[in-house]
Structure formats: C-alpha cells, structure tokens
Amino acid sequence: MEKVEEPTVISDPEALHIENLDDQLAHLIPDKKEYDRVVRKIDWRIVPIMFLCYALSFLDKVVLNYAAVMGLLKDLHLKGNEYSNLATFFFVAYVLAEFPQGLLFQKYPVSMVLGINTLLWGIIVACTSATHNYSQLLALRLLLGIFEASIAPALTLTTSMWYTKRQSAPRYGIWYCGLGVAQILGGLISFGAQHGPMKNFSGWRIMMVVVGIVNILVALTVLFFLPTSIESAKFLTTNEKELVRRMLIIDQAGNGDQIFKVKGILEIIWDPQIWLLTLLAILLNMSSGVITTYSATLIEGFGFNSKQSALLNMPGGAVSILSIIFATYAIGRGYQRWLALVITVVPAILGAGLMSFAPIHNEAAKLAGIYLYSFLAAAMAITFSWVGANTAGYSKKVAANAAIAIGIGIGSIISPQTFQAKDAPEYLPAKITVLVAAAATVVTAVALSLLYLYRNKKTRPHREAEIVAANNQQRLDPIENEEGFTDRTNPAFIYVY
C-alpha cells in the first residue's frame, strides 16, 4: 500500500519572516550547493561592476570637496556662497532628472542606461579641468547631476534582479562601500595631484582628468560586461538561469516583467512606506555635505594645510566601510534592518554632537566627530536594501527608486545651504542641523518598522497558506508572478523590517 504523505505544517509562525523563507522552502531547490555556487559566480561578475560605478559616482562628488582646498576657489574666483551653490544646483538637476531617468529604465535595459550615463558623466568630470569661472563650472555640475541621477535606481534594480532578499543586503553593502573607498581614493588622488606641476595646470585640474578617464573606462565595462537580464547572461548556463529564477520566485524577490503599468507608478503616492523611505533619504542626506562637500574644508579650518586635509579626510572613508560591512553582515545573518540602522546612527549622533559643541580649539574632538559621523553611511545602505526588498512590480520598483533618489536630492539640496559663508570656519548652524537630522532618522526608522509589522500581520496567513501548499505540492506558484501584483496588491507579500 502506497504511503500517503502528511501535509506539511509550519510549527513556528515567526519562521515566516521573509528573512527565513529560504530555510522554509530550501527543499524546493534541487541542489542547494549548486545554487550557492551559481550565486558566487554571479557575485564575481555583477558586484565588482556595481561597486566601481557607485565608487566613481561618489568620487565625482567628493573631488569637488578636495578641489576646494587645492586652489579651485582661488583659480575660479569663487566668492560668497557660490561654492555651496555648486553642490545645491548639482542636486537640483539630480532631482529634476529622476523621473526622465525612470522612463529610460522602463523602456531600456538597466545596464544600458547605467553604462551610457556613466560614460557621459565621465566626460563631464574630465571637462571640468578646463573651466575658468563659476558659470562654466556650474553648467558642468548641472549636467553631472542629470547623468548621475541614474546611479541609485540602476544599482538597486540590478541588485534586486539577481539576489534574494537575504542575499541582497550584503551586496547592497558591498557596492555602497564604494562611498568610503571613493573618499579614501579621493584623498590619495588629491594628495598626489598637489605634488604635480602647478604653473599651467593646477593639481585639482589633474585630479579631474584622472577621475574622468577612469569613469569612461568603467562605463565601457558596464556596457560590455554587465548583463541586461538573467536571460541574456552569457556567463550562466540554461540550467543555472532557471535555478536563479526559481529561487527569486520562492523568495518573492526579483523585479518582475519590464512592463509599464500606470497603477504601479501611482501606487507610490498612496503608500506610506514610500513616504517614510523618502523621508529617511532626505534626513540622511541633509547632512551629507559633511562628507561629500565640506569635510576637507572643515578639517582645513582646524589649522591643517591642504595636503594634510586630504590625508586626514581619508579615515572617515574607512569608518564608512567598516560600518556598512558591520550593518549589512548583521542583516545577512538575520538581524532586523531597523535595529542595524539605529545602532549605526548612534555613533553619528555622537559625532554630530562633538562637531557642534566641542570647544573651538579642541581640534582632536572635532576631527573625531567627523569620523564618527561617517557611521551614517550604513544607514543609507540599509535604506536602499529596504526599497529593493519591500517593493514589488517593475513599474512600482522603478518609481519607488526614483522617489528615494529624489529624497536624496532634496536632502542634498538643503545640506550645502546650511553651510553659509558668514558662519565660516565653524559652521555651527550646519553642525546643529546635522545633529537634529541624525536624531530624526532614528524616529523615522522605528515608525517604518512598525508599519511593516502591521502589514505582515495581515499578509502572514496568506503567505503561510502559500508555503504549506508549496511544501505539499513541491512547487511554488506565487500569485504576484501570475498577475503582476505589487507588494500592496499581493495579499501574501511579506515585508522585511
């Protein structure tokens, strides 16, 4: 007599948290070891390219920081708040370009859009070396903002295209470490360029040419080596592609079909999570000027020369890297995202306090404050991972990434305007703004996690039924794949928090 299998029962409802779903359904993968091997294969092809792109996009911003102490202000006769305005108008263009860039992502492959934008911004950075006045530099910064508006949505879409939700957090962390690496490389390039010929071609001009050329080389790498989709990945076999697709379906991950749906775009207007994520991006980037635009200037204000300022700015990049690795590794090991975010924000709040309230002549305390504030980089990496994991449907995912990038731009527009020339060299109002924004980040992250918990209570029974059916039938047919649902319209969607 044939033995009848008992229905599978999930004894631990908490195990239904999305971070544990690959454990619940791992048996649906024919060969887990083979899948792990394929993931490592994807890592070596995809992650280094994303890392280089993000590192260079940040380096393009931070070179202006270093150029400020290398003679750019004097050579281009900048006065008053013109330097602050360069950073502000860069992000004005960045914000205005987000939705046009989003339309390109709807129509063309992500890697193609990213590669062409990277090529164009590399040319712009190199051309910056030829500027001779404020108007010329401002025009190039506006163009740079338009092209770099593609970077955050492109890398978030690429990461969620290839990885499950648990796998994606460490990968977000790796490419976001490009921020810290760019800060370190920027310091080294600045230091080296200041030792170059100064009569006819200033050190900051040499720096712009070098960074621009590297951008162009990376753009060519993106265009020729970053696959446009899983199906087009020549480095994977047919069976390996099917294995990746199957795991993404099981995990409620991936980007979905690249089909334009107005409902998915409009849904971001009524979705509170998008507003909270955008608020997080605004708060985190309201204070980004400390790292991207003014850190070298602040350090020089402590009494160091331009060469010393370039080198002393580098440890902040190392702190960013360590904090990102710590936070995303913890998430990959199953710790909650909101908690990892709060833990990394606490040192940043302490750093903001030191920058704001340490005695004027206590340079060591103020320098330590700048370094501690670099912990905040991990919080933005976690925000990107939330966007990738908790939005479903290609149109909504593209629109959500555009909204977050607009939040980044709005925060970054506000940031340099808090650094007013009349407040130099202490810039106390700016430092207090940084402190308040960091504290508000904690409140916003907790509110977001509570929203996700509330939603999961409603969707958990549906997801449990889906998993039980999958265990009994030895297959999983998620309804969002069949009908193109978003996270809000799919009754079985589970949010990570």
Side-chain angles (χ1 to χ4, degrees):
M1 184 174 180
E2 186 175 328
K3 185 178 178 180
V4 179
E5 289 188 6
E6 292 292 326
T8 304
V9 178
I10 298 176
S11 57
D12 180 11
E14 291 302 315
L16 286 174
H17 188 284
I18 195 71
E19 302 288 7
N20 303 107
L21 284 181
D22 50 356
D23 296 331
Q24 286 287 327
L25 299 172
H27 64 282
L28 297 182
I29 297 295
D31 189 338
K32 188 67 166 61
K33 289 184 178 179
E34 172 65 9
Y35 175 64
D36 291 340
R37 184 191 66 79
V38 173
V39 170
R40 288 193 296 271
K41 196 173 179 181
I42 294 169
D43 283 341
W44 283 108
R45 170 58 71 93
I46 305 298
V47 176
I49 296 176
M50 293 195 294
F51 169 83
L52 286 172
C53 287
Y54 197 77
L56 288 172
S57 75
F58 189 79
L59 185 59
D60 294 343
K61 301 180 189 73
V62 84
V63 287
L64 189 66
N65 181 6
Y66 290 115
V69 298
M70 293 171 64
L72 177 142
L73 303 182
K74 181 181 178 181
D75 292 349
L76 272 58
H77 312 292
L78 300 187
K79 56 185 182 296
N81 292 321
E82 287 181 341
Y83 178 67
S84 293
N85 291 339
L86 290 172
T88 295
F89 285 110
F90 169 93
F91 283 104
V92 169
Y94 184 98
V95 168
L96 294 176
E98 279 305 332
F99 281 114
Q101 290 280 9
L103 291 175
L104 292 176
F105 287 125
Q106 285 281 355
K107 191 171 183 179
Y108 302 103
V110 174
S111 59
M112 181 186 297
V113 177
L114 175 62
I116 292 173
N117 275 288
T118 305
L119 178 64
L120 291 172
W121 86 53
I123 294 170
I124 294 299
V125 172
C127 288
T128 303
S129 64
T131 56
H132 292 282
N133 56 53
Y134 172 70
S135 298
Q136 293 173 353
L137 183 57
L138 178 61
L140 290 180
R141 297 300 292 181
L142 288 170
L143 289 173
L144 193 63
I146 291 171
F147 300 136
E148 289 200 9
S150 63
I151 187 67
L155 297 188
T156 303
L157 288 168
T158 302
T159 306
S160 57
M161 178 194 302
W162 292 95
Y163 297 104
T164 67
K165 296 180 181 182
R166 177 183 284 183
Q167 292 167 347
S168 66
R171 276 75 183 183
Y172 280 109
I174 292 171
W175 63 253
Y176 201 74
C177 278
L179 179 151
V181 171
Q183 193 170 346
I184 294 170
L185 286 177
L188 289 173
I189 294 171
S190 171
F191 183 78
Q194 290 181 68
H195 289 81
M198 297 295 179
K199 290 184 179 180
N200 300 318
F201 207 62
S202 301
W204 66 267
R205 297 183 190 276
I206 297 172
M207 180 173 66
M208 295 294 181
V209 172
V210 171
V211 173
I213 291 172
V214 174
N215 268 287
I216 292 169
L217 293 175
V218 170
L220 296 176
T221 302
V222 172
L223 290 169
F224 288 105
F225 294 102
L226 186 63
T228 58
S229 65
I230 294 173
E231 289 72 20
S232 68
K234 294 181 180 179
F235 68 96
L236 295 179
T237 66
T238 301
N239 289 338
E240 289 171 342
K241 293 174 186 177
E242 180 57 35
L243 198 56
V244 173
R245 281 193 294 264
R246 187 172 184 182
M247 191 60 196
L248 292 174
I249 290 173
I250 289 172
D251 192 58
Q252 297 182 323
N255 290 334
D257 295 330
Q258 193 170 341
I259 301 172
F260 180 79
K261 294 185 178 180
V262 175
K263 287 184 179 179
I265 295 174
L266 293 178
E267 192 174 295
I268 69 169
I269 299 172
W270 315 113
D271 191 347
Q273 76 152 328
I274 304 301
W275 288 97
L276 287 170
L277 286 166
T278 303
L279 178 59
L280 262 183
I282 292 171
L283 291 170
L284 288 169
N285 288 275
M286 272 179 65
S287 41
S288 65
V290 171
I291 298 172
T292 57
T293 310
Y294 273 95
S295 55
T297 303
L298 289 172
I299 292 170
E300 188 180 38
F302 300 157
F304 300 101
N305 62 38
S306 60
K307 295 183 179 68
Q308 292 169 331
S309 297
L311 295 177
L312 288 172
N313 200 31
M314 291 166 57
V319 172
S320 296
I321 293 169
L322 292 174
S323 67
I324 293 167
I325 292 173
F326 163 76
T328 54
Y329 176 79
I331 292 168
R333 300 292 295 176
Y335 289 91
Q336 295 171 349
R337 282 164 167 79
W338 75 269
L339 183 59
L341 187 148
V342 170
I343 289 173
T344 56
V345 169
V346 169
I349 293 174
L350 177 60
L354 286 172
M355 285 191 294
S356 301
F357 305 115
I360 294 176
H361 299 294
N362 192 343
E363 289 85 1
K366 291 182 177 292
L367 194 58
I370 290 176
Y371 296 155
L372 284 171
Y373 195 75
S374 296
F375 271 91
L376 204 65
M380 196 63 224
I382 295 169
T383 303
F384 280 132
S385 77
W386 257 332
V387 179
N390 287 343
T391 56
Y394 190 82
S395 291
K396 181 175 181 179
K397 197 179 285 284
V398 169
N401 276 292
I404 304 312
I406 287 172
I408 293 171
I410 291 172
S412 299
I413 288 169
I414 297 170
S415 172
Q417 292 307 308
T418 63
F419 287 85
Q420 293 294 302
K422 62 183 175 61
D423 300 320
E426 284 298 306
Y427 298 104
L428 185 60
K431 294 173 184 175
I432 294 175
T433 301
V434 163
L435 178 60
V436 173
T441 297
V442 173
V443 177
T444 307
V446 172
L448 190 59
S449 68
L450 292 175
L451 174 64
Y452 289 145
L453 280 169
Y454 172 75
R455 288 184 174 179
N456 283 352
K457 284 184 179 181
K458 290 186 173 182
T459 58
R460 186 179 298 278
H462 297 281
R463 183 58 172 164
E464 181 175 356
E466 195 173 78
I467 292 176
V468 170
N471 283 330
N472 289 339
Q473 299 170 18
Q474 294 300 298
R475 63 194 294 266
L476 183 64
D477 298 309
I479 57 178
E480 75 271 18
N481 264 26
E482 295 176 358
E483 301 183 32
F485 283 2
T486 67
D487 56 282
R488 294 298 292 133
T489 57
N490 175 10
F493 192 87
I494 299 293
Y495 294 88
V496 299
Y497 58 87

